[in-house]
Amino acid sequence: MEDYYLGWLEQVENALNIWGYYKIDFKPRLIIITGMGGSGCVGDYVYALASTKERFRYPVLVIKSYELPKFVSNEDLVFVISYSGDTLETRYAYLETLRRKCRLVVITSNGFLERDAKQKNIPLILVTKGIAPRTALPEMLLAVLNVLDTSGLTIVSKSEVEDLREFFKENMANAYSEAVEIAEFIHNNKGVLVIATHTPLEVLAIRGKNEFNENSKIPVKIDVAPEWAHNDIVGWENPFINKYTVLEIADPDNPIGLKLIEFMDEIYMEKGYPVKRVLLKGEHFLQKLLYGSLVLGLASVKLARLLRIDPLETKNISKYKSRVYDILGQT
Ligand code: F6R
């Protein structure tokens, strides 16, 4: 499993090899990204990158459901992402985008989506097969950014992805040792894990939560300031249980973010919770997001090893996937 994460540099190279090939001749009203779990997380990242990009004027909407909002129409560009190509919620959303005649791009490695997109001649990007969906994050994310850049809707340019490749080369070893320290910190303290951060890093906190859920098999709470200061902060006055371990994630180049994290730190310290802070490395937001994702992914695998469990297997997701046909019905 570690190898899948250490293969992220190769995923960036794969993405660069096909950069420029997929062009959509269309100026959309909305850019919509739909998918679930590890594939759905791609939408969060595109949203975060688009929201912080100067002069980018296209609203990005992330949908993690079997339904589309009623207002989605043929004026919109929809990226349908499912690593396996078979996730039922995503298949439902895909069929609905076809009914509404949206412009579509499918990103998958296999399954129903691959077959159907080929048959219907829908733009299709195939990513590396045979790894865990959650570990295919860079390739799936860069596939979306590739299409947008090639189509004149640039959020991230090819040269920024080339910089990312160099950044990964320089920082892989660093990320690995940081991950080992984090796993040991969480393992030694054994409280419910809280991932605390500031905007616009909430996507990273969600991703980190999912990684510790799926790889380490533990529940995780997320605290995101400043919203945290208007609700969660009160919950910390009187929790039912009092055993938490806090992992803070901050952008060292965001002065307001750092002050917010300092304040959060004060509240956790008052309760006596052990706290560890991760300062994201990287020059650009894309680098910071993917560096943080790599560290958290590796840390969750390392924690699984310390807990002597298999990071790869996700039994309860499989259980859900065998029941979801009864819940949602056949497509
Ligand atoms: C498994 C994982 C899951 C899946 C999710 C949706 O590694 O990350 O969260 O991503 O169950 O499946 P796919 O990605 O195949 O559509």
Side-chain angles (χ1 to χ4, degrees), residues 36-39 81-85 87 90 132-135 214 314 317 321:
M36 305 300 295
S39 301
I81 310 181
S82 167
Y83 183 81
S84 63
T87 298
T90 314
R134 54 193 178 278
T135 64
E214 292 183 51
T314 48
I317 295 181
K321 285 190 175 178

Side-chain angles (χ1 to χ4, degrees), residues 247-284:
L247 188 63
E248 295 174 346
I249 302 174
D251 179 350
D253 303 314
N254 181 334
I256 295 178
L258 283 177
K259 283 188 202 158
L260 286 168
I261 282 283
E262 280 303 321
F263 180 65
M264 296 175 97
D265 201 272
E266 239 177 73
I267 301 291
Y268 302 130
M269 290 295 193
E270 270 171 20
K271 303 297 291 182
Y273 304 149
V275 174
K276 183 170 179 60
R277 188 172 303 174
V278 177
L279 291 176
L280 297 176
K281 293 197 193 322
E283 257 179 67
H284 307 298

